Amino acid sequence: MSERQHEFSPSHLDHKGVVVLLHGLGANSWLMILLAHRLHLQGYRVVNWGYWSFWQSLGNLIPVFEQRFRALNDSLPPGTPLHIVAHSMGSIITRAALENVELPTLQRVVMLSPPNRGSHVATMVGPYLRWLSPLVDELADREDSFVNQLQSRIHPDVKVGVIAAEWDYVLREVSTHLDCEADHITLPSRHSGLVLRRAVADQILYFLENGRFRRGAATPPILEQLESQELET
């Protein structure tokens, strides 16, 4: 199930921490490249994990990511801040893996259009796609689906932020919520478009640093501040 992994490390050793990116169903790590670059510009070491999602089940994928998280944790210098930013099904993989993996320095988890309570579209089409990708049906919004059997809480020391897409054709907004979320916002985008929008990247950066999303327009977005600094120099 291996797929390309991209890593972006700041040129200086004193980075802000490590951010793991996880894409969703039917995508690959290339979809997260722009977001990875934006986080990297802000001083984060970014690890962009890829995986094959077709002909897979969550039962097969999750142990692989448990192993990846353990290996990453073992490789980090003590005290290195760790964050996870996951899109769609990547959020479900994250939740399931964190049920069995201890990550002592994990501080933030940001979920983009996560089917935390399942997808009505998966409920409709999942039974017909089991031959192609059994995990589609596992993301259904039925009470007995895989996703609805997961624990609804992550470690209390970890702040969870959820960004929903206003024009999401895959999920209803109510399905993105998680009991333990520290903050939740809805931004103008379609389901997959969230990972490409600068406004979303800015909100992710703000959450990583503050544990909440930015409200109002009083403070210029982080990426705009960075671009202004580059122009001044």
Side-chain angles (χ1 to χ4, degrees):
M1 67 140 281
S2 177
E3 199 238 29
R4 184 181 295 274
Q5 171 180 311
H6 304 93
E7 183 167 339
F8 299 80
S9 297
S11 56
H12 51 86
L13 296 178
D14 187 23
H15 56 74
K16 293 181 178 180
V18 176
V19 180
V20 174
L21 299 184
L22 269 175
H23 63 79
L25 173 65
N28 57 51
S29 56
W30 287 104
L31 182 65
M32 310 293 279
I33 283 289
L34 182 57
L35 177 57
H37 179 66
R38 285 167 166 162
L39 297 174
H40 170 247
L41 285 177
Q42 283 295 311
Y44 289 97
R45 174 189 163 200
V46 182
V47 181
N48 182 14
W49 282 341
Y51 61 96
W52 295 111
S53 57
F54 293 114
W55 300 288
Q56 296 282 353
S57 69
L58 287 167
N60 291 333
L61 284 173
I62 289 164
V64 175
F65 282 95
E66 291 175 354
Q67 183 178 357
R68 287 189 184 184
F69 277 121
R70 290 191 183 100
L72 176 64
N73 180 67
D74 292 343
S75 71
L76 296 178
T80 301
L82 178 62
H83 313 292
I84 302 170
V85 178
H87 177 244
S88 194
M89 190 182 73
S91 303
I92 305 308
I93 292 173
T94 297
R95 286 177 55 196
L98 292 181
E99 289 187 3
N100 298 310
V101 178
E102 289 289 333
L103 299 175
T105 63
L106 181 62
Q107 296 182 0
R108 310 277 192 258
V109 175
V110 181
M111 301 180 177
L112 310 176
S113 285
N116 282 321
R117 300 179 183 178
S119 164
H120 63 288
V121 174
T123 300
M124 291 188 293
V125 305
Y128 304 102
L129 295 178
R130 287 173 182 159
W131 64 274
L132 177 63
S133 188
L135 53 78
V136 175
D137 195 49
E138 294 173 322
L139 298 175
D141 61 1
R142 299 188 309 270
E143 289 186 4
D144 63 346
S145 69
F146 181 97
V147 67
N148 281 312
Q149 303 307 306
L150 293 174
Q151 297 177 14
S152 60
R153 296 190 174 274
I154 295 176
H155 194 282
D157 291 336
V158 179
K159 288 194 176 294
V160 178
V162 177
I163 301 179
E166 184 175 359
W167 311 305
D168 200 323
Y169 53 87
V170 176
L171 298 172
R172 298 185 175 99
E173 188 271 347
V174 67
S175 295
T176 64
H177 285 274
L178 194 61
D179 289 350
C180 64
E181 65 193 33
D183 204 353
H184 183 290
I185 57 172
T186 300
L187 296 179
S189 176
R190 297 191 185 277
H191 183 79
S192 297
L194 280 177
V195 302
L196 304 174
R197 296 179 66 87
R198 193 179 76 169
V200 175
D202 183 74
Q203 290 286 5
I204 292 170
L205 285 161
Y206 194 89
F207 190 91
L208 294 184
E209 296 185 8
N210 299 281
R212 58 185 173 83
F213 295 118
R214 184 174 59 87
R215 293 316 200 280
T219 304
I222 294 173
L223 289 170
E224 288 186 3
Q225 292 177 355
L226 176 64
E227 292 174 357
S228 298
Q229 292 169 5
E230 289 177 343
L231 289 174
E232 291 173 0
T233 56

